[in-house]
Amino acid sequence: MPPLHSNPYDAAQPDFATEAHADAQLALTEGGLSEAQAIESLTCLWTLSNKCEKAEWDRAIAEEQHALKEARQGAIDAEECQHQQSQADKEATLAKECKKHKSKFTPVPNAKVPVEPLCIPACYALKQMESGSYIELYYFTNQGISEAEEVATTPSDGTYVWKTQEDGTHSLIKASSAKRGLRSDPLPDDRLTWEQFFEATPCMIRFM
């Protein structure tokens, strides 16, 4: 059957009793049918033909919808395949870049930024602790750490530096004397104030 160009569901049944269908009536009446029988036969033939056209129409619509569904799915599959290929290309490029520039892609640890100043006691005090020898708590007080910083940033020649004394005053002495003074003249533990003791204890524990 050739493809239908109009919807058979919209077709109206003709009136075969009219003059427009006189030739069809005549062909049937000449075959022995009455006029009423001829009109009824023509009506039945049209109804059967219309049913066949409706079935063909339904089949064509179903095939068209199936074809559209397959086309849409094919487009989706092609787009997904293209996306996967693009993603694979990006990952390959990134892996190549990571291999070529390792330092550029080194992950940054999620560590907190220190908000407290870094206080490092004198090297002599740390070496004493490392060897398990006795070391005065004074080295771990704020005053002892301050003196250690002064010594660490001054040369060992005849240069003079400012040194903070126990009473808070400052005096100008040789750098070498400052280094010897820090190592040999710290306050004994029993002369530390409670404030100095509480300064030194957590600091010393931190470097154990």
Side-chain angles (χ1 to χ4, degrees), residues 23-24 28 38 44 51 53 55-56 59-61 77 83 104 117 121 128 144 151 162 164 168-169 174 180 203 207:
D23 292 341
L28 293 176
C44 289
K51 286 183 179 180
E53 289 179 352
E56 177 65 17
R59 184 191 65 78
I61 293 297
D77 293 342
H83 175 71
K104 181 180 178 181
Q128 288 290 96
V151 171
W162 286 103
T164 305
T169 60
K174 284 187 177 182
R180 288 196 301 270
C203 182
F207 288 94

Side-chain angles (χ1 to χ4, degrees), residues 175-195:
S176 57
S177 298
K179 292 182 179 180
R180 288 196 301 270
L182 183 61
R183 286 200 295 262
S184 60
D185 297 325
L187 283 176
D189 294 346
D190 57 2
R191 291 185 56 191
L192 293 179
T193 64
W194 280 109
E195 183 179 358

